[in-house]
Amino acid sequence: MTPALEPLRRIAAYAVVTSPEGQVLLVRASPKSGTPGVWSLPGGAVDHGEDPNHTVVRETAAETGLSVTVVGLRDVLADMRALPHRGITIHTDRLIYEVSVRGGTLCDRIGQPTDLARWHTLETAQGLPLRPFTAGALGLPAGPIDLRPEEAPDFPSFYAVPGPDGLHRAQRFAAYAVATDPDGRMLLTRIADGYPGAGCWHLPGGGTDYGEQPGTALIRELLEETGQSGRLVELLGVASHRDAASLGPEGYPIDWHGVRAFYRVAVDAPLPPTVGDVGGSTSEARWFSRGELTGLRQHEFTEVTAEAMRAVGF
């Protein structure tokens, strides 16, 4: 256990790049990193306000010399690492993308956190020291590379810090549900007064806790906000949205960047919705038939809700 380490959070995006011969592209951590000699997928941290689709293209080019295009989203997961040499414990929400190569030439780097980019077969990759998330993405057994804290430290799901312009910034990762019942109804929640988007209908869900996997967080939030028990069916996508001067219960403008994973969730035994988190950001929860949804106007939905509904054909 490392209780003295400062807890931090970040969001990062990574590329699974496969050659026509079935090899996978990996990058090696340099002596400037905390785990020199360890191999991982190319990628890195999502900058404030940046769409993760752009992050994975930018970071892959910087680390490998290759230009790539995003094909699809493979997975979303989270992990914790203790980094005693930096005095921190870090929770990373990782977005794993499938990409294809458009061009470029592999290059080595000097004085950067990664120094090599190489193609490997899965057989040779299995013999390398791999970051656990990389091994998992490739379907390989993970070795004990990362030092994990025994328990998650206390850390708020919403955390605003002063930005370079003096305006507070907040980057938050959240998970939301496109939740339906056996009759095809969709479950939505209404945003409470005093919160951004007040009065709009929104997907059930919310910010993930430190050390929590997105799917686990979503099922917890679904029960807290609506009183429903659900099961994950599939990952539908990730939405990124920036509000440069969001105003909420804090009472001052915040440059807000939300990255949201949304999932299809089945509620097999629906109940009358009840809001358990009284006084929070949800004022109401309700089941909607398809006809009732089509009767609502565009401005009555939040942006992420409208995007998710389009993705599933509502």
Side-chain angles (χ1 to χ4, degrees):
M1 186 172 171
T2 52
L5 301 183
E6 178 187 1
L8 297 176
R9 285 194 72 159
R10 71 169 187 164
I11 304 170
Y14 298 90
V16 176
V17 195
T18 306
S19 73
E21 297 75 30
Q23 296 177 311
V24 64
L25 185 61
L26 299 175
V27 295
R28 188 181 71 178
S30 75
K32 289 183 66 68
S33 75
T35 52
V38 174
W39 294 79
S40 71
L41 298 175
V46 176
D47 289 341
H48 186 82
E50 185 178 33
D51 189 306
N53 284 272
H54 301 160
T55 304
V56 72
V57 172
R58 172 180 58 79
E59 285 283 344
T60 300
E63 292 187 341
T64 71
L66 299 182
S67 174
V68 301
T69 185
V70 172
V71 175
L73 181 67
R74 174 183 279 209
D75 200 4
V76 178
L77 50 89
D79 58 55
M80 289 189 297
R81 298 173 65 199
L83 302 173
H85 67 288
R86 293 175 53 190
I88 63 172
T89 292
I90 186 166
H91 166 115
T92 305
D93 296 293
R94 305 186 191 274
L95 314 178
I96 313 296
Y97 290 91
E98 298 273 359
V99 306
S100 62
V101 177
R102 294 185 292 188
T105 304
L106 285 186
C107 63
D108 298 342
R109 308 172 84 200
I110 298 174
Q112 300 295 322
T114 62
D115 57 7
L116 296 181
R118 296 290 186 271
W119 293 101
H120 292 276
T121 66
L122 288 181
E123 289 74 20
T124 60
Q126 189 168 352
L128 298 173
L130 297 175
R131 292 290 308 282
F133 81 90
T134 297
L138 300 179
L140 300 174
I145 298 297
D146 289 347
L147 177 62
R148 291 179 52 85
E150 294 180 6
E151 58 184 51
D154 290 332
F155 193 84
S157 63
F158 170 76
Y159 185 62
V161 297
D165 54 5
L167 184 67
H168 276 72
R169 286 182 167 187
Q171 189 181 59
R172 189 187 194 204
F173 183 83
Y176 288 93
V178 178
T180 55
D181 70 359
D183 292 330
R185 297 183 300 171
M186 179 182 285
L187 183 63
L188 296 178
T189 60
R190 193 190 292 271
I191 299 175
D193 290 341
Y195 288 86
C200 289
W201 290 102
H202 194 39
L203 299 176
T208 64
D209 289 340
Y210 198 104
E212 190 175 36
Q213 293 295 333
T216 303
L218 178 54
I219 297 304
R220 171 183 57 76
E221 287 278 349
L222 183 68
L223 185 61
E224 291 175 1
E225 289 189 344
T226 71
Q228 313 297 310
S229 295
R231 58 181 175 85
L232 293 178
V233 177
E234 62 177 328
L235 174 65
L236 294 172
V238 168
S240 176
H241 177 253
R242 181 182 185 182
D243 185 339
S246 176
L247 193 62
E250 299 79 19
Y252 53 87
I254 293 174
D255 183 352
W256 174 273
H257 179 207
V259 177
R260 307 172 176 109
F262 48 99
Y263 296 78
R264 189 188 299 273
V265 173
V267 179
D268 298 315
L271 299 170
T274 57
V275 179
D277 186 18
V278 178
S281 60
T282 299
S283 63
E284 181 185 355
R286 178 181 163 189
W287 287 105
F288 286 86
S289 68
R290 187 177 291 270
E292 290 171 326
L293 285 173
T294 57
L296 295 176
R297 290 172 293 181
Q298 185 74 24
H299 71 270
E300 295 181 84
F301 299 106
T302 62
E303 181 181 16
V304 68
T305 302
E307 181 175 339
M309 289 172 60
R310 288 192 297 268
V312 298
F314 266 84

